[in-house]
Amino acid sequence: MARCLVTGVAGFIGCSIAAALLARGESVRGVDNLLTGKRENLAGLEAMEFQEGDLSDAGACARACAGIDTIFHEAALASVPRSVEDPVSTHRNCVEATLNLLVAARQAGVRRVVYAGSSSAYGDTPTLPKQESMPPNPISPYAVAKLAGEHYMLAFARVYGLETVVLRYFNVFGPHQDPGSPYSGVLAVFCQRMLAGEQPIIYGDGQQSRDFTYIDNVVEANLLAAAAPADKVAGQMMNVATGSRITLNETFAILRELTGYRGEPAYAAPRAGDIRDSLADIRRAEELLGYRTRIDFREGLRRTVDWYRGRA
Ligand code: UD1
């Protein structure tokens, strides 16, 4: 019987966590509704039990949670602009899904739930770096939905004693991130376009900055959060990032070296709901989890470009 459940397992972060768990010899179940997840991301995860199911369905949640000890909850509609266009489906797939999962987890006697939170919860406040003690200020429906999920996690820890841990991810990137949708993360889109010799589009002046976090760091944080003593991490929320930031213009310049792309970017109007700058204080994760940034931005970007090149 599987002991670990990864939700959103056909997505980029979910499949990466599942692969790491299998490599450690864990027994793993994955669930995905394949709305944005891709079956191709399940390649190499054959040792995992896969359930196709939607977490907005209570029955699917119960089946997914049966016999499980630890859940890594990655399932979401991970996009700010998508939520601006269709806030209701973001709510259903982020908030309702999370609440249903928590109810089923409690019923099934799950011990711990590690939740994929989002740095978007901090909103567009000028103070950097973002510290967990800052009041949340979500400015997009996506940010509201991911933050609501956080609150449910922390409430289930307080009220029912479920060991929930919230990891607030900052702009995760790496192999398996889908470049093919208008809602895709910027680095996946830029890697794919620049390798294909196509002009990338920068929304705004390109001086917006992000704490781009390579996937291996996020996987590591999840494994640490699953293993950490309950008295340290249950009911806690912490940033998972690198603690450094880079602008889109600088990122474009590095990608030009790595991909061999010769052109300039096109500039277009800024996107609604976008935040300007993002940078994490990662001391809480360092202290509570022993988390360290293992792979820095440049090395992560090099590995990512290599992965997309191999796919082209
Ligand atoms: C991302 C995540 C979100 C996460 C949030 C905070 C994705 C799809 N979204 O949102 O889940 O919660 O970080 O960590 O990974 N841009 C361009 N050109 C493009 C695409 C984007 O200039 O072709 C710009 C955007 O306008 C934005 C920046 O790049 O200013 C980053 O965009 P994106 O990768 O979508 O990430 P966030 O909106 O920061």
Side-chain angles (χ1 to χ4, degrees), residues 31-65:
V31 63
D32 204 296
N33 62 4
L34 300 175
L35 187 59
T36 54
K38 301 264 183 287
R39 263 190 203 281
E40 68 199 50
N41 286 338
L42 303 176
L45 304 179
E46 289 75 16
M48 174 184 82
E49 177 197 343
F50 176 65
Q51 293 181 355
E52 187 172 339
D54 193 310
L55 302 181
S56 50
D57 166 27
C61 285
R63 277 190 298 283
C65 289

mmCIF file of all heavy atoms in Angstrom, residues 31-65:
data_model
loop_
_atom_site.group_PDB
_atom_site.id
_atom_site.type_symbol
_atom_site.label_atom_id
_atom_site.label_comp_id
_atom_site.label_asym_id
_atom_site.label_seq_id
_atom_site.Cartn_x
_atom_site.Cartn_y
_atom_site.Cartn_z
ATOM 1 N N VAL A 31 -1.983 11.309 -7.942
ATOM 2 C CA VAL A 31 -3.318 11.596 -8.477
ATOM 3 C C VAL A 31 -3.235 12.863 -9.318
ATOM 4 O O VAL A 31 -2.466 13.779 -9.002
ATOM 5 C CB VAL A 31 -4.366 11.710 -7.333
ATOM 6 C CG1 VAL A 31 -4.055 12.877 -6.398
ATOM 7 C CG2 VAL A 31 -5.781 11.854 -7.884
ATOM 8 N N ASP A 32 -3.999 12.869 -10.409
ATOM 9 C CA ASP A 32 -4.022 14.049 -11.288
ATOM 10 C C ASP A 32 -5.293 13.985 -12.136
ATOM 11 O O ASP A 32 -5.707 12.902 -12.537
ATOM 12 C CB ASP A 32 -2.786 14.057 -12.208
ATOM 13 C CG ASP A 32 -2.445 15.452 -12.699
ATOM 14 O OD1 ASP A 32 -3.271 16.057 -13.426
ATOM 15 O OD2 ASP A 32 -1.360 15.950 -12.353
ATOM 16 N N ASN A 33 -5.883 15.150 -12.398
ATOM 17 C CA ASN A 33 -7.066 15.159 -13.282
ATOM 18 C C ASN A 33 -6.684 15.439 -14.734
ATOM 19 O O ASN A 33 -7.550 15.505 -15.600
ATOM 20 C CB ASN A 33 -8.100 16.185 -12.798
ATOM 21 C CG ASN A 33 -7.564 17.608 -12.828
ATOM 22 O OD1 ASN A 33 -6.445 17.839 -13.274
ATOM 23 N ND2 ASN A 33 -8.362 18.555 -12.359
ATOM 24 N N LEU A 34 -5.394 15.603 -14.978
ATOM 25 C CA LEU A 34 -4.851 15.824 -16.324
ATOM 26 C C LEU A 34 -5.439 17.074 -16.994
ATOM 27 O O LEU A 34 -5.496 17.157 -18.211
ATOM 28 C CB LEU A 34 -5.039 14.571 -17.201
ATOM 29 C CG LEU A 34 -4.341 13.324 -16.642
ATOM 30 C CD1 LEU A 34 -4.667 12.095 -17.494
ATOM 31 C CD2 LEU A 34 -2.819 13.513 -16.572
ATOM 32 N N LEU A 35 -5.840 18.030 -16.189
ATOM 33 C CA LEU A 35 -6.346 19.290 -16.741
ATOM 34 C C LEU A 35 -5.178 20.116 -17.292
ATOM 35 O O LEU A 35 -5.201 20.570 -18.426
ATOM 36 C CB LEU A 35 -7.080 20.063 -15.634
ATOM 37 C CG LEU A 35 -7.821 21.329 -16.023
ATOM 38 C CD1 LEU A 35 -8.879 21.033 -17.075
ATOM 39 C CD2 LEU A 35 -8.487 21.943 -14.786
ATOM 40 N N THR A 36 -4.147 20.282 -16.480
ATOM 41 C CA THR A 36 -2.925 20.915 -16.988
ATOM 42 C C THR A 36 -1.743 19.947 -16.927
ATOM 43 O O THR A 36 -0.736 20.180 -17.591
ATOM 44 C CB THR A 36 -2.564 22.195 -16.188
ATOM 45 O OG1 THR A 36 -2.493 21.855 -14.806
ATOM 46 C CG2 THR A 36 -3.598 23.272 -16.388
ATOM 47 N N GLY A 37 -1.873 18.886 -16.137
ATOM 48 C CA GLY A 37 -0.822 17.867 -16.074
ATOM 49 C C GLY A 37 -0.744 17.090 -17.384
ATOM 50 O O GLY A 37 -1.713 17.048 -18.142
ATOM 51 N N LYS A 38 0.423 16.494 -17.620
ATOM 52 C CA LYS A 38 0.645 15.773 -18.888
ATOM 53 C C LYS A 38 1.014 14.320 -18.602
ATOM 54 O O LYS A 38 1.876 14.070 -17.754
ATOM 55 C CB LYS A 38 1.821 16.413 -19.652
ATOM 56 C CG LYS A 38 1.616 17.871 -19.992
ATOM 57 C CD LYS A 38 1.084 18.003 -21.416
ATOM 58 C CE LYS A 38 0.926 19.433 -21.844
ATOM 59 N NZ LYS A 38 -0.178 20.168 -21.243
ATOM 60 N N ARG A 39 0.389 13.414 -19.357
ATOM 61 C CA ARG A 39 0.733 12.004 -19.193
ATOM 62 C C ARG A 39 2.220 11.746 -19.423
ATOM 63 O O ARG A 39 2.808 10.869 -18.807
ATOM 64 C CB ARG A 39 -0.074 11.144 -20.178
ATOM 65 C CG ARG A 39 -1.298 10.565 -19.542
ATOM 66 C CD ARG A 39 -1.987 9.538 -20.410
ATOM 67 N NE ARG A 39 -3.371 9.464 -20.002
ATOM 68 C CZ ARG A 39 -3.788 8.792 -18.931
ATOM 69 N NH1 ARG A 39 -2.941 8.098 -18.210
ATOM 70 N NH2 ARG A 39 -5.064 8.799 -18.594
ATOM 71 N N GLU A 40 2.820 12.525 -20.321
ATOM 72 C CA GLU A 40 4.249 12.294 -20.605
ATOM 73 C C GLU A 40 5.114 12.495 -19.358
ATOM 74 O O GLU A 40 6.196 11.933 -19.253
ATOM 75 C CB GLU A 40 4.719 13.184 -21.761
ATOM 76 C CG GLU A 40 4.749 14.661 -21.414
ATOM 77 C CD GLU A 40 4.769 15.578 -22.648
ATOM 78 O OE1 GLU A 40 3.926 15.394 -23.549
ATOM 79 O OE2 GLU A 40 5.622 16.485 -22.670
ATOM 80 N N ASN A 41 4.623 13.291 -18.400
ATOM 81 C CA ASN A 41 5.388 13.481 -17.160
ATOM 82 C C ASN A 41 5.358 12.248 -16.260
ATOM 83 O O ASN A 41 6.077 12.198 -15.257
ATOM 84 C CB ASN A 41 4.866 14.695 -16.381
ATOM 85 C CG ASN A 41 5.274 16.008 -17.025
ATOM 86 O OD1 ASN A 41 6.249 16.049 -17.777
ATOM 87 N ND2 ASN A 41 4.532 17.067 -16.757
ATOM 88 N N LEU A 42 4.518 11.278 -16.599
ATOM 89 C CA LEU A 42 4.455 10.049 -15.788
ATOM 90 C C LEU A 42 5.483 9.021 -16.268
ATOM 91 O O LEU A 42 5.698 8.010 -15.606
ATOM 92 C CB LEU A 42 3.047 9.445 -15.835
ATOM 93 C CG LEU A 42 1.925 10.396 -15.367
ATOM 94 C CD1 LEU A 42 0.557 9.740 -15.541
ATOM 95 C CD2 LEU A 42 2.144 10.809 -13.915
ATOM 96 N N ALA A 43 6.117 9.296 -17.416
ATOM 97 C CA ALA A 43 7.147 8.376 -17.929
ATOM 98 C C ALA A 43 8.272 8.291 -16.906
ATOM 99 O O ALA A 43 8.718 9.324 -16.386
ATOM 100 C CB ALA A 43 7.677 8.879 -19.260
ATOM 101 N N GLY A 44 8.690 7.095 -16.587
ATOM 102 C CA GLY A 44 9.740 6.914 -15.583
ATOM 103 C C GLY A 44 9.176 6.749 -14.178
ATOM 104 O O GLY A 44 9.917 6.457 -13.247
ATOM 105 N N LEU A 45 7.871 6.949 -14.021
ATOM 106 C CA LEU A 45 7.250 6.814 -12.690
ATOM 107 C C LEU A 45 6.395 5.542 -12.626
ATOM 108 O O LEU A 45 5.418 5.481 -11.880
ATOM 109 C CB LEU A 45 6.376 8.032 -12.374
ATOM 110 C CG LEU A 45 7.040 9.409 -12.430
ATOM 111 C CD1 LEU A 45 6.036 10.512 -12.108
ATOM 112 C CD2 LEU A 45 8.225 9.477 -11.461
ATOM 113 N N GLU A 46 6.764 4.527 -13.421
ATOM 114 C CA GLU A 46 5.908 3.339 -13.524
ATOM 115 C C GLU A 46 5.764 2.600 -12.202
ATOM 116 O O GLU A 46 4.782 1.879 -11.981
ATOM 117 C CB GLU A 46 6.437 2.369 -14.606
ATOM 118 C CG GLU A 46 6.241 2.880 -16.040
ATOM 119 C CD GLU A 46 7.221 3.987 -16.433
ATOM 120 O OE1 GLU A 46 8.249 4.174 -15.734
ATOM 121 O OE2 GLU A 46 6.951 4.681 -17.440
ATOM 122 N N ALA A 47 6.742 2.771 -11.299
ATOM 123 C CA ALA A 47 6.650 2.088 -9.999
ATOM 124 C C ALA A 47 5.587 2.727 -9.107
ATOM 125 O O ALA A 47 5.232 2.185 -8.061
ATOM 126 C CB ALA A 47 8.009 2.131 -9.298
ATOM 127 N N MET A 48 5.069 3.855 -9.537
ATOM 128 C CA MET A 48 4.054 4.571 -8.749
ATOM 129 C C MET A 48 2.659 4.077 -9.134
ATOM 130 O O MET A 48 2.411 3.718 -10.285
ATOM 131 C CB MET A 48 4.185 6.057 -9.084
ATOM 132 C CG MET A 48 3.151 6.944 -8.494
ATOM 133 S SD MET A 48 3.371 8.642 -9.089
ATOM 134 C CE MET A 48 2.544 8.545 -10.681
ATOM 135 N N GLU A 49 1.759 4.083 -8.157
ATOM 136 C CA GLU A 49 0.350 3.812 -8.464
ATOM 137 C C GLU A 49 -0.285 5.123 -8.918
ATOM 138 O O GLU A 49 -0.241 6.109 -8.187
ATOM 139 C CB GLU A 49 -0.332 3.307 -7.184
ATOM 140 C CG GLU A 49 -1.808 3.049 -7.350
ATOM 141 C CD GLU A 49 -2.520 2.968 -5.986
ATOM 142 O OE1 GLU A 49 -1.858 2.784 -4.936
ATOM 143 O OE2 GLU A 49 -3.747 3.133 -5.996
ATOM 144 N N PHE A 50 -0.858 5.145 -10.129
ATOM 145 C CA PHE A 50 -1.456 6.385 -10.625
ATOM 146 C C PHE A 50 -2.977 6.313 -10.602
ATOM 147 O O PHE A 50 -3.557 5.328 -11.048
ATOM 148 C CB PHE A 50 -0.985 6.692 -12.053
ATOM 149 C CG PHE A 50 -1.650 7.917 -12.636
ATOM 150 C CD1 PHE A 50 -1.425 9.175 -12.081
ATOM 151 C CD2 PHE A 50 -2.529 7.817 -13.708
ATOM 152 C CE1 PHE A 50 -2.053 10.308 -12.581
ATOM 153 C CE2 PHE A 50 -3.159 8.945 -14.225
ATOM 154 C CZ PHE A 50 -2.916 10.191 -13.665
ATOM 155 N N GLN A 51 -3.604 7.334 -10.061
ATOM 156 C CA GLN A 51 -5.063 7.442 -10.105
ATOM 157 C C GLN A 51 -5.417 8.704 -10.876
ATOM 158 O O GLN A 51 -4.955 9.791 -10.533
ATOM 159 C CB GLN A 51 -5.654 7.556 -8.684
ATOM 160 C CG GLN A 51 -5.483 6.314 -7.842
ATOM 161 C CD GLN A 51 -6.109 6.462 -6.448
ATOM 162 O OE1 GLN A 51 -6.598 7.527 -6.069
ATOM 163 N NE2 GLN A 51 -6.089 5.374 -5.693
ATOM 164 N N GLU A 52 -6.257 8.544 -11.913
ATOM 165 C CA GLU A 52 -6.762 9.738 -12.584
ATOM 166 C C GLU A 52 -7.994 10.190 -11.800
ATOM 167 O O GLU A 52 -8.957 9.429 -11.666
ATOM 168 C CB GLU A 52 -7.122 9.418 -14.043
ATOM 169 C CG GLU A 52 -7.497 10.662 -14.805
ATOM 170 C CD GLU A 52 -7.676 10.422 -16.296
ATOM 171 O OE1 GLU A 52 -7.154 9.428 -16.829
ATOM 172 O OE2 GLU A 52 -8.375 11.252 -16.919
ATOM 173 N N GLY A 53 -7.956 11.361 -11.253
ATOM 174 C CA GLY A 53 -9.079 11.798 -10.432
ATOM 175 C C GLY A 53 -9.011 13.283 -10.180
ATOM 176 O O GLY A 53 -7.941 13.895 -10.265
ATOM 177 N N ASP A 54 -10.175 13.862 -9.890
ATOM 178 C CA ASP A 54 -10.281 15.297 -9.685
ATOM 179 C C ASP A 54 -10.569 15.554 -8.209
ATOM 180 O O ASP A 54 -11.525 15.017 -7.648
ATOM 181 C CB ASP A 54 -11.437 15.822 -10.546
ATOM 182 C CG ASP A 54 -11.424 17.329 -10.656
ATOM 183 O OD1 ASP A 54 -11.330 18.007 -9.607
ATOM 184 O OD2 ASP A 54 -11.503 17.827 -11.785
ATOM 185 N N LEU A 55 -9.767 16.387 -7.594
ATOM 186 C CA LEU A 55 -9.888 16.591 -6.148
ATOM 187 C C LEU A 55 -11.124 17.414 -5.782
ATOM 188 O O LEU A 55 -11.451 17.512 -4.597
ATOM 189 C CB LEU A 55 -8.621 17.252 -5.584
ATOM 190 C CG LEU A 55 -7.308 16.498 -5.813
ATOM 191 C CD1 LEU A 55 -6.146 17.259 -5.177
ATOM 192 C CD2 LEU A 55 -7.360 15.072 -5.253
ATOM 193 N N SER A 56 -11.805 17.971 -6.782
ATOM 194 C CA SER A 56 -13.066 18.618 -6.411
ATOM 195 C C SER A 56 -14.170 17.577 -6.215
ATOM 196 O O SER A 56 -15.295 17.911 -5.832
ATOM 197 C CB SER A 56 -13.467 19.722 -7.399
ATOM 198 O OG SER A 56 -13.422 19.264 -8.705
ATOM 199 N N ASP A 57 -13.830 16.291 -6.425
ATOM 200 C CA ASP A 57 -14.761 15.181 -6.193
ATOM 201 C C ASP A 57 -14.346 14.459 -4.899
ATOM 202 O O ASP A 57 -13.219 13.969 -4.781
ATOM 203 C CB ASP A 57 -14.690 14.253 -7.425
ATOM 204 C CG ASP A 57 -15.324 12.893 -7.194
ATOM 205 O OD1 ASP A 57 -16.232 12.807 -6.345
ATOM 206 O OD2 ASP A 57 -14.900 11.936 -7.856
ATOM 207 N N ALA A 58 -15.250 14.449 -3.925
ATOM 208 C CA ALA A 58 -14.912 13.886 -2.608
ATOM 209 C C ALA A 58 -14.519 12.409 -2.701
ATOM 210 O O ALA A 58 -13.628 11.943 -1.979
ATOM 211 C CB ALA A 58 -16.091 14.056 -1.650
ATOM 212 N N GLY A 59 -15.176 11.667 -3.616
ATOM 213 C CA GLY A 59 -14.853 10.241 -3.776
ATOM 214 C C GLY A 59 -13.422 10.051 -4.250
ATOM 215 O O GLY A 59 -12.698 9.157 -3.776
ATOM 216 N N ALA A 60 -13.010 10.885 -5.194
ATOM 217 C CA ALA A 60 -11.630 10.798 -5.708
ATOM 218 C C ALA A 60 -10.641 11.101 -4.590
ATOM 219 O O ALA A 60 -9.579 10.466 -4.486
ATOM 220 C CB ALA A 60 -11.440 11.769 -6.878
ATOM 221 N N CYS A 61 -10.985 12.053 -3.726
ATOM 222 C CA CYS A 61 -10.098 12.399 -2.598
ATOM 223 C C CYS A 61 -9.986 11.216 -1.636
ATOM 224 O O CYS A 61 -8.884 10.906 -1.154
ATOM 225 C CB CYS A 61 -10.628 13.616 -1.849
ATOM 226 S SG CYS A 61 -10.368 15.153 -2.728
ATOM 227 N N ALA A 62 -11.114 10.579 -1.358
ATOM 228 C CA ALA A 62 -11.099 9.445 -0.422
ATOM 229 C C ALA A 62 -10.247 8.304 -0.988
ATOM 230 O O ALA A 62 -9.429 7.709 -0.265
ATOM 231 C CB ALA A 62 -12.521 8.970 -0.155
ATOM 232 N N ARG A 63 -10.417 8.010 -2.274
ATOM 233 C CA ARG A 63 -9.609 6.943 -2.905
ATOM 234 C C ARG A 63 -8.122 7.296 -2.866
ATOM 235 O O ARG A 63 -7.272 6.456 -2.609
ATOM 236 C CB ARG A 63 -10.045 6.732 -4.371
ATOM 237 C CG ARG A 63 -11.254 5.834 -4.545
ATOM 238 C CD ARG A 63 -11.469 5.464 -6.013
ATOM 239 N NE ARG A 63 -11.726 6.627 -6.874
ATOM 240 C CZ ARG A 63 -12.909 7.263 -6.935
ATOM 241 N NH1 ARG A 63 -13.932 6.862 -6.210
ATOM 242 N NH2 ARG A 63 -13.070 8.300 -7.738
ATOM 243 N N ALA A 64 -7.833 8.553 -3.114
ATOM 244 C CA ALA A 64 -6.424 8.976 -3.149
ATOM 245 C C ALA A 64 -5.785 8.873 -1.762
ATOM 246 O O ALA A 64 -4.608 8.526 -1.628
ATOM 247 C CB ALA A 64 -6.328 10.406 -3.682
ATOM 248 N N CYS A 65 -6.558 9.152 -0.708
ATOM 249 C CA CYS A 65 -5.984 9.233 0.648
ATOM 250 C C CYS A 65 -5.939 7.892 1.384
ATOM 251 O O CYS A 65 -5.252 7.802 2.419
ATOM 252 C CB CYS A 65 -6.780 10.226 1.492
ATOM 253 S SG CYS A 65 -6.543 11.940 0.989
#
